Amino acid sequence: MNHTIRSIPSVVVALGSAAVLSLVLAAPLRAQEPSQGVRIGLTYSAGTRPGLYVLPLRGANADSIRAIITRDIDFGDRISVIAPDSGVPVTGRLNYPLYGRLGAAAILQLSMNAAGGLHVVVHEVGAGRVIHTKDYPIAGSTFSPDWRMSLHAIADEIERQVTGVPGIAATRVLFVRGGALWQIDSDGHGAKPVAGAASALGPVWHPSGTMVAYTEMRDDGTHVLVRDLVSGSVRRVSRRAGANSSPAFSPDGKTLAYSSGEDGTDLFSVALDGSADETRITVGRGSTNSQPTFAPDGRRVAFTTSRLGRPEIYITDSDGANPELLTTSGFGDQLYRADPSWSPDGRFVAFSTQIEGRFQIATIGLRDRAVKQHTIEKVNEDPSWAPDARHLVFTSNRSDVKQLWVLDTESGRLRQLTHGPASRMAAWSPRLSTAR
Amino acid sequence: MSNRSLLVVAVAAVALSAAACQKQPEVAPVPAVNTDSINAANERARLEAERIARERAEADRIARERAEADRIARDKAEAEARARAAMAAARAAFATAIYFDLDKSELTSEARAALDAKLPLLRANPNVRIRVAGHADDRGSDEYNVALSQRRAAAAKRYLVDQGIPADRIDVAGFGEERPAMQGSGEDVWSKNRRDEFEIIVGGETLRLP
């Protein structure tokens, strides 16, 4: 591993006076990019992954803490983690050239502080200096969901200090298991049902991370519900009889688009605060129009439609103007494309496409309309983007039972997220917590 | 009288009677008839006959009545069985699912025939409300299949409405691939799962036969 460090403009950002782990709601993605004129992280060649040597850590639950953070950084796929299983904590001045020869562009030095929090030091090997040092409290009791989320948020911040881009560990994935709504941490821990949501399909996250929407199936039909994850309160958004399904929040969190209709379905948009009448997005004339997904600027919507016969993915302005076929198809094309998910950076739409009778995960570039197929083994469907616009979670039966898998679309690396009973219909949350 | 004189008398009597026999036939003495006992016997016999006749008549009557009751009961049971069978047939015709081609919501000719078979029951029971539940196999997109199954249910409703059944008597719902009729995979399973199911939701207890 030979990472080229071209220059060393790394700057430790002024992070505020108090070294406090703030469990704040994820702001819209762009707000998390470094502000102009300030750069964070090492500089390294495009297409390479900087090596991060993780020094041993001593103290209560030290091994667990180190393992969780190390795994989070590894799952981010932007950093090559070098983490020997054993060794004594290193004190004093580090021998930077030695770590450089081991392939490390940076060194992570963790220690437990007197307050039970985590003291984090990040060294840049090439420059031979510390680029980040900070104390982070750890919330909750050991191994509780809050405790884990604290560590995930710290891992995301370490990743930001090294690469300039925060990780995606402090996120969760909603999914459907046995007809009920479940959630799981991004590292595969803590799978549990969402209380009170025993009948659910197609969940989606509100950009705040505090609300979800999903389809509830009852004997008299399907309805779209919005559930507050904090208070547990639920309200029904759809008013029409018939099929109501596939909700999607707009990126500003103010409106919800969903599919509704008795004979054919169209997309409708409703203001969550009830300030405006419901508006209609598509005019399908008896065809199926469903699965809306917003561009990050909220101005356009991709969706699945049967208006050409077979299901295809269209794009329209969010007011319904200018609908057009997104996925190009040749003469006599008998493909079946569905499950669109617009990437948080706006550059791609991921979708399921039927190839030789089986669904596979593909992405299409919005600029060049180039399609890339990401899976080939068995059936893979229903992708959902992580907030880094790089990882996808989707459903696959490659382990026989339908389970959720996570794909790094850049490296092709794949890992299984869920185990146990069949799981499907994944929705990746925004960042739920930041440690700054 | 001395023994001697008795003997004389007896001899004389014998001689006398012998002389009489020889000379003219004497009329045989008619026994005296006891009419009272005959009448009593006759009466007893008549009463006995009457009793037997009465009992026989009673038995016949009971038998006739029993036979009649049996016949009525049998007729009734048969009528009920016929009615039950007819109702079961009508309900079965009503409950028969219709099936669809892959990713299609258009009615096949078999589906239209199956829908036609539901019309008599619907027409004979104008207060009955039904629900058409559309379903999909598990191959398509899970969410898209909710909308597809809704279209399948709506296609059946549209056909029934075109045949004169008021639209407000027919609810429709689409359940996607969430409630399969058969578990597993393969076309045999999938083709059974791409379907509309029919259920009476109001008036099912008081159905009248067409």
Side-chain angles (χ1 to χ4, degrees), chain A residues 94-138:
Chain A
L94 297 176
N95 182 351
Y96 290 116
L98 172 65
Y99 292 100
R101 283 196 294 279
L102 291 170
I107 302 164
L108 176 61
Q109 195 171 19
L110 303 172
S111 56
M112 307 304 297
N113 66 22
L118 197 60
H119 182 68
V120 175
V121 181
V122 179
H123 304 259
E124 178 166 358
V125 170
R129 65 187 178 104
V130 169
I131 58 168
H132 177 73
T133 178
K134 195 163 179 175
D135 284 273
Y136 296 94
I138 302 173

Side-chain angles (χ1 to χ4, degrees), chain A residues 57 60 71 80 88 115 134 141 171 197 268 291 358-359 388 395 399:
Chain A
L57 166 65
R71 191 174 53 213
S80 290
V88 289
K134 195 163 179 175
S141 56
T171 57
F268 293 83
Q291 301 187 303
R358 293 193 306 211
F359 277 122
D388 65 357
T395 307
S399 65

Side-chain angles (χ1 to χ4, degrees), chain B residues 9-25:
Chain B
V9 170
V11 171
V14 170
L16 188 66
S17 62
C21 288
Q22 287 166 350
K23 286 179 183 167
Q24 61 183 75

Side-chain angles (χ1 to χ4, degrees), chain A residues 80-376:
Chain A
S80 290
V81 177
I82 310 156
D85 283 342
S86 58
V88 289
V90 178
T91 52
R93 186 169 163 73
L94 297 176
N95 182 351
Y96 290 116
L98 172 65
Y99 292 100
R101 283 196 294 279
L102 291 170
I107 302 164
L108 176 61
Q109 195 171 19
L110 303 172
S111 56
M112 307 304 297
N113 66 22
L118 197 60
H119 182 68
V120 175
V121 181
V122 179
H123 304 259
E124 178 166 358
V125 170
R129 65 187 178 104
V130 169
I131 58 168
H132 177 73
T133 178
K134 195 163 179 175
D135 284 273
Y136 296 94
I138 302 173
S141 56
T142 309
F143 299 119
S144 69
D146 286 349
W147 183 85
R148 285 183 175 281
M149 190 54 84
S150 293
L151 297 180
H152 294 326
I154 293 167
D156 287 348
E157 179 59 13
I158 291 167
E159 197 171 328
R160 190 174 77 97
Q161 293 299 333
V162 174
T163 67
V165 179
I168 50 167
T171 57
R172 292 193 170 111
V173 173
L174 287 170
F175 63 101
V176 172
R177 172 177 281 177
L181 188 60
W182 283 61
Q183 61 177 342
I184 189 169
D185 289 356
S186 69
D187 66 350
H189 268 273
K192 63 175 184 183
V194 174
S199 169
L201 294 176
V204 288
W205 290 89
H206 187 265
S208 69
T210 62
M211 287 195 288
V212 299
Y214 55 93
T215 302
E216 183 187 49
M217 186 163 280
R218 301 188 312 205
D219 282 347
D220 64 350
T222 51
H223 278 293
V224 171
L225 307 184
V226 172
R227 171 178 290 268
D228 188 314
L229 289 177
V230 180
S231 71
S233 68
V234 179
R235 75 190 168 96
R236 191 172 121 183
V237 173
S238 54
R239 293 280 160 249
R240 262 174 243 94
N244 299 280
S245 70
S246 54
F249 289 104
S250 62
D252 66 6
K254 291 178 179 169
T255 62
L256 182 89
Y258 69 103
S259 168
S260 176
E262 214 184 5
D263 192 353
T265 55
D266 276 301
L267 300 183
F268 293 83
S269 176
V270 60
L272 284 175
D273 63 3
S275 62
D277 287 341
E278 190 168 84
T279 58
R280 181 168 174 159
I281 299 175
T282 61
V283 183
R285 298 188 178 86
S287 64
T288 291
N289 298 272
S290 70
Q291 301 187 303
T293 175
F294 281 92
D297 64 5
R299 290 188 191 150
R300 287 190 295 168
V301 174
F303 62 100
T304 309
T305 178
S306 70
R307 62 187 64 185
L308 298 179
R310 306 278 295 184
E312 268 290 0
I313 294 169
Y314 264 54
I315 285 193
T316 177
D317 295 351
S318 53
D319 63 0
N322 304 315
E324 59 160 327
L325 179 65
L326 171 64
T327 41
T328 54
S329 53
F331 178 77
D333 191 344
Q334 286 296 295
L335 289 183
Y336 180 130
R337 298 183 177 101
D339 307 333
S341 175
W342 208 312
S343 69
D345 64 2
R347 294 167 60 210
F348 297 97
V349 171
F351 57 98
S352 312
T353 181
Q354 225 169 40
I355 294 169
E356 291 170 357
R358 293 193 306 211
F359 277 122
Q360 300 299 344
I361 304 296
T363 52
I364 182 168
L366 270 301
R367 218 167 291 163
D368 57 7
R369 302 278 163 115
V371 174
K372 183 181 176 191
Q373 184 184 336
H374 293 277
T375 59
I376 192 163

Side-chain angles (χ1 to χ4, degrees), chain B residues 109-177:
Chain B
S109 54
E110 291 89 345
R112 283 194 295 273
L115 289 172
D116 286 339
K118 306 178 195 307
L119 291 170
L121 191 76
L122 290 171
R123 285 178 178 142
N125 296 275
N127 296 324
V128 156
R129 279 177 61 105
I130 67 166
R131 178 183 298 132
V132 185
H135 299 270
D137 69 30
D138 67 358
R139 281 179 295 173
S141 154
D142 295 6
E143 283 201 291
Y144 181 86
N145 273 345
V146 173
L148 171 64
S149 61
Q150 176 78 26
R151 279 212 330 263
R152 286 177 174 161
K157 173 173 179 171
R158 203 178 323 120
Y159 184 84
L160 293 173
V161 169
D162 287 349
Q163 310 306 314
I165 307 300
D168 60 7
R169 290 177 55 197
I170 306 171
D171 289 0
V172 292
F175 294 109
E177 60 187 73

